[in-house]
């Protein structure tokens, strides 16, 4: 073979105008030229990167503003020897940081490993001879040998003398192979299913079609769910209010000459007001929900998808592999030319059994019409260019192919069945299937029957479509197949298909016209990957919450664009890797139950949000009131650890027990209606409890008894030893009042759960009875557990409380009764709304 003497243009990705361009011959590069191009960065190297680096992930999750504040406080407490305070202060922030970091690193590893191209070897022409190399050794300007079964690894034209059929279904959604003539582009990521030829490597690596798709698929695009955004807003608002309050209180502490230890403790307590534990609770709820959904056949890869799927109001889905199984079934045999049904069926069954390389069509026929295989003397396999296949047997010569290739004119019966979504073929006798030169050619064709094949619907599609429709969820079908066929299949699945729209009609439309078309259309056919992506974007512009279901690489971009990307397990690796949810049973019938699970999480997190914010509001108001009254500071960092009982344990159980609830569009308003009365009433009674105990203990030192007598009495029921320090009176009053306040808050928080999940009408001031006794049992268990804390020296000492004290229990128990009555009145009669002149729901 002669040696190549010219080279292709040097700019990576530049177009090769035609097959006569420099370098566009079948003699290839020399090894020296290939090595030079490799050094210039023109090799077909795998796409790398595309997601955030490990350092950035670690920095953003661990060293957030809130965590930095906690770390500074914790370091200071450690330096002052307050180890338990330090643990309480920074422990939760570290847990959140670890969880979020691990989740993002797992997602990064999955995306970084994503590759559209296989790493099998390819054949290139170097120095005039064919050589086998790895695909990453191919360089721009190489000539590659393309044969049946090969994956195309670069972009470029087919050179003269070749003719191949390419399966581009994973890239475009088009199910039929595409015939490629010399000069036509072969796209990386497609497969050669028939033919032979040479291809010029024009676009390689990141510049190729597969490279661009891989880079796009690797792009990080996680959407925060509505609940996550609302909670983030609430947390930021609380952080702002806490910062303002902290500034005032710390300024007062500085004026009063508080010690460094006291200032640090106050800062730790104020930081603990921020309900950062909500993020941990959400992660816990998402994980539990993902486990439950996995049992139904769905693998959750993006944790917030468990909740996100419950917000979906429109589902976009591909046809093949989602609505249908990808298999065919024999729907009808229509005899032609006076032939009988039985003869046509027997011939069709024998033909299908005799095919040497079965495909979907022959497999469907053989399954419906089992027959003994004919003895085949000659065979012409099916190709897209021929559009028919033929067998020469002892029973005659038979052909099976497209009506347009075997009939002229095509009868109306073909168009009628095609309009119903059926694939129509013709079974015919023939005088011959080859010409004198031995090339495939038909002579003497005699039609015997029309053969109608139907795409097989998945078993639960009709039921699932009906459930979505009843739930107010719209479905839109986006397919690469003929729009009429897609519409017919959609109608069989139970969709109101309407007038289908081909993807070409979307080209040239501006956003406004596209939005109008997408809003009224349910079926789109002959759509390219960019069309699917535009449709999803259009729906999002219209305020819709979109789930996209797909199985091919052509769906990957749309999956990334949707709020919830759903992939079939049997689909391409790329699609599975970029999806938020993978349907392990290849059935999207699992999505309605997944929506219910998401709504359960919404209901549980909603209840937990009420509990968290009621605690934050109550404690914040008490801190302000006590500080302004000049009675010290009402909490220590170790006492803040009691939120394990008041918030941590209750919210975990309530989240798991919650009934499914639809997303609340008025969540923030309803939060205010619950939290403000709870915070005001609880803080009012809590301040009264603190004041009564604080002043009562101080008065004990002015009752005429000696200090030693008072100290003995106080030490006898607190278990603490203070000696005769001059600051003993204030210290004793403070810790006694803190113990009473913490006890009151814990018991009140337990009872508050009964307002949110009332076991009966007696507690149904805020909402209707839930009919679930478990929250009531939880409250009783929490009361017992906290009472045990007050009775066990090691526990009450750890939390910075006094031992069992009669005055404390007397004041707290007496206060709980009017507190409960006041809160019941406030909720039952909507007192706050009436005072503020807000709208009150009817009947209140």
């Amino acid at each position: 073979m002669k040696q190549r003497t010219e080279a292709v243009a040097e700019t990576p990705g530049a177009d090769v105008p035609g097959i006569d361009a420099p370098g566009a011959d079948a003699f290839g590069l020399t090894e020296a030229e290939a090595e030079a191009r490799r050094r210039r960065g023109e090799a077909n190297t795998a796409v790398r990167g595309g997601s955030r680096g490990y350092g950035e992930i670690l920095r953003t999750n661990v060293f957030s503003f809130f965590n930095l504040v906690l770390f500074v406080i914790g370091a200071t407490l450690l330096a002052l020897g307050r180890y338990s305070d330090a643990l309480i202060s920074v422990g939760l922030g570290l847990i959140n940081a670890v969880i979020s970091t691990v989740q993002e690193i797992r997602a990064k590893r999955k995306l970084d490993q994503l590759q559209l191209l296989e790493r099998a070897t390819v054949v290139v022409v170097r120095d005039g001879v064919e050589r086998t190399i790895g695909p990453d050794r191919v360089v721009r300007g190489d000539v590659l040998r393309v044969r049946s079964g090969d994956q195309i690894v670069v972009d470029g034209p087919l050179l003269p003398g070749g003719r191949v059929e390419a399966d581009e279904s994973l890239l475009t959604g088009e199910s039929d192979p595409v015939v490629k003539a010399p000069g036509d582009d072969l796209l990386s990521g497609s497969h050669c299913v028939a033919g032979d030829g040479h291809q010029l490597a024009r676009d390689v690596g990141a510049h190729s079609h597969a490279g661009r798709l891989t880079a796009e698929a690797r792009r990080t695009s996680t959407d925060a769910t509505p609940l996550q955004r609302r909670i983030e807003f609430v947390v930021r608002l609380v952080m702002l209010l806490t910062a303002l309050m902290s500034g005032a209180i710390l300024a007062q502490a500085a004026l009063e000459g508080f010690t460094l230890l006291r200032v640090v403790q106050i800062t730790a307590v104020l930081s603990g007001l921020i309900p950062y534990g909500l993020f941990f609770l959400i992660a816990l709820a998402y994980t539990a929900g993902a486990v439950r959904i996995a049992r139904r056949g769905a693998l959750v890869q993006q944790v917030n998808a468990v909740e996100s799927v419950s917000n979906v109001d429109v589902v976009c889905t591909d046809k093949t592999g989602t609505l249908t199984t990808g298999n065919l079934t024999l729907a009808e045999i229509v005899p032609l030319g006076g032939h009988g049904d039985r003869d046509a069926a027997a011939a069709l069954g024998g033909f299908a059994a005799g095919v040497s390389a079965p495909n979907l069509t022959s497999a469907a026929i053989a399954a419906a019409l089992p027959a003994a295989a004919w003895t085949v003397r000659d065979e012409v396999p099916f190709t897209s260019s021929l559009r028919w296949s033929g067998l020469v047997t002892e029973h005659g010569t038979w052909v099976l192919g497209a009506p347009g290739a075997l009939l002229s004119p095509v009868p109306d019966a073909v168009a009628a069945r095609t309009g119903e979504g059926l694939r129509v073929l013709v079974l015919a006798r023939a005088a011959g299937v080859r010409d004198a030169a031995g090339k495939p050619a038909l002579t003497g064709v005699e039609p015997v029957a029309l053969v109608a094949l139907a795409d097989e619907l998945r078993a639960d599609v009709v039921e699932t479509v009906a459930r979505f429709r009843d739930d107010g969820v719209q479905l839109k079908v986006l397919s690469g197949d003929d729009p009429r066929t897609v519409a017919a299949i959609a109608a069989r699945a139970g969709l109101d298909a309407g007038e289908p729209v081909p993807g070409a009609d979307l080209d040239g439309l501006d956003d406004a016209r596209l939005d109008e078309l997408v809003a009224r259309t349910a079926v789109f056919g002959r759509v390219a990957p960019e069309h699917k992506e535009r449709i999803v974007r259009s729906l999002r512009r219209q305020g819709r919450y979109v789930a996209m279901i797909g199985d091919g690489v052509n769906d990957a971009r749309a999956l990334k664009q949707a709020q919830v990307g759903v992939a079939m397990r049997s689909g391409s690796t790329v699609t599975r890797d970029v999806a938020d949810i993978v349907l392990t049973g290849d059935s999207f019938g699992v999505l309605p139950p997944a929506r219910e699970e998401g709504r359960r999480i919404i209901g549980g997190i909603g209840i937990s949000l009420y509990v968290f914010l009621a605690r934050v509001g109550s404690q914040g108001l008490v801190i302000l009131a006590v500080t302004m009254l000049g009675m010290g500071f009402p909490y220590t960092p170790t006492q803040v650890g009691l939120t394990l009982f008041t918030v941590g344990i209750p919210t975990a159980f309530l989240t798991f027990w919650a009934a499914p609830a639809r997303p609340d569009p008025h969540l923030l308003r309803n939060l205010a209606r619950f939290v403000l009365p709870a915070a005001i009433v609880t803080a009012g009674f809590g301040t009264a409890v603190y004041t009564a105990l604080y002043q009562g203990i101080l008065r004990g030192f002015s009752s005429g008894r000696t200090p030693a007598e008072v100290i003995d009495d106080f030490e006898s029921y607190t278990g603490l030893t203070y000696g005769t320090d001059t600051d003993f009176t204030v210290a004793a009053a403070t810790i006694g009042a803190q113990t009473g306040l913490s006890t009151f808050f814990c018991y009140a928080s337990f009872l508050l759960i009964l307002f949110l999940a009332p076991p009966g009408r007696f507690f149904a001031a805020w909402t209707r009875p839930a009919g679930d006794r478990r929250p009531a049992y939880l409250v009783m268990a929490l009361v017992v557990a906290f009472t045990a804390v007050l009775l066990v020296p090691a526990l009450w000492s750890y939390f910075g409380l006094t031992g069992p004290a009669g005055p404390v229990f007397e004041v707290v128990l007496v206060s709980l009764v009017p507190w409960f009555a006041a809160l019941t009145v406030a909720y039952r009669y909507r007192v706050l709304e009436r005072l503020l002149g807000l709208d009150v729901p009817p009947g209140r």
Side-chain angles (χ1 to χ4, degrees), residues 617-627 634-635 682-684 686-687 741 745:
S618 302
Q619 289 186 330
L621 290 176
V622 166
I623 290 172
L624 280 176
V626 170
T627 305
Y635 294 104
T682 305
T687 302
L741 177 62
F745 257 78

Side-chain angles (χ1 to χ4, degrees), residues 23 75 205 228 513 563 629 838:
Q228 285 178 317
R513 292 167 61 197
Q563 282 101 335
L629 292 173
L838 301 176

Side-chain angles (χ1 to χ4, degrees), residues 227-235 278-279 282 605 609:
L227 183 61
Q228 285 178 317
R229 289 195 294 268
R230 288 169 182 164
I231 288 178
E232 185 175 359
F233 169 78
V234 169
V235 171
L278 277 171
F279 296 119
I282 289 176
I605 295 296
L609 194 58

Side-chain angles (χ1 to χ4, degrees), residues 274-479:
I274 300 172
Y276 204 57
L278 277 171
F279 296 119
F280 172 70
L281 181 65
I282 289 176
L284 190 64
Y286 284 168
T287 302
V291 171
R292 285 194 286 261
I293 292 176
R295 297 174 185 152
R296 294 178 176 267
L299 174 64
V300 177
Q301 300 191 135
Q302 190 66 43
V303 289
N304 66 355
V306 182
E307 181 245 320
S308 190
V309 72
S310 66
N311 297 283
V312 169
D313 57 14
V314 59
V315 173
C316 297
T317 177
D318 193 9
K319 176 185 72 68
T320 304
T322 52
L323 293 181
T324 64
T325 62
N327 298 322
L328 299 174
T329 58
L330 180 62
E332 186 181 13
I333 300 175
V334 182
L336 299 175
H339 293 278
D341 291 349
R342 186 170 299 177
D343 293 340
L348 189 60
F351 185 97
V355 172
S356 62
N359 53 25
L360 290 176
T361 299
S362 61
I365 296 172
L369 303 171
W374 289 342
T375 300
V376 178
R377 298 169 183 166
D378 189 16
E379 179 178 6
V380 177
F382 177 85
T383 63
S384 298
S385 54
L386 288 177
R387 301 173 64 203
W388 58 267
S389 60
L391 295 180
V392 179
T393 73
E394 75 273 20
H395 297 284
T397 300
W398 296 85
V399 293
L400 182 67
L406 302 180
L407 296 179
S408 182
V410 177
D412 294 340
V414 173
R417 285 163 176 78
T418 301
E420 297 173 0
L422 300 176
R423 301 187 183 189
V424 182
L425 300 174
V426 175
L427 176 68
R429 285 183 176 273
V433 293
R434 296 187 186 275
D435 58 18
K439 294 182 179 181
L442 288 175
T443 56
V445 176
E446 177 192 350
V448 173
L450 295 180
V451 182
L453 299 165
D455 284 290
E456 182 181 56
L457 288 178
R458 291 195 177 275
D460 55 356
V461 161
V462 175
E463 179 186 353
T464 303
V465 169
R467 291 183 65 178
F468 276 132
R469 183 175 57 247
D470 295 342
D471 204 23
V473 178
Q474 289 186 342
L475 270 81
K476 296 183 182 292
V477 183
L478 320 180
S479 175

Side-chain angles (χ1 to χ4, degrees), residues 57-76 86 88-101 235 239 271 274-277 279-280:
I57 292 173
L58 188 66
R59 184 172 62 253
T60 55
N61 285 289
V62 177
F63 300 104
S64 64
F65 171 76
F66 181 79
N67 282 349
L68 287 176
V69 172
L70 290 181
F71 293 160
V72 171
I73 295 171
T76 307
I88 294 294
S89 298
V90 303
L92 190 57
L94 284 174
I95 292 174
N96 284 318
V98 169
I99 290 175
S100 56
T101 300
V235 171
M239 289 179 67
S271 300
I274 300 172
Y276 204 57
F279 296 119
F280 172 70

Side-chain angles (χ1 to χ4, degrees), residues 11 43 78 201 236 241 288 319 392 476 574 586:
T11 305
L78 286 174
R236 288 180 180 273
L241 295 177
K319 176 185 72 68
V392 179
K476 296 183 182 292
V574 171
D586 278 350

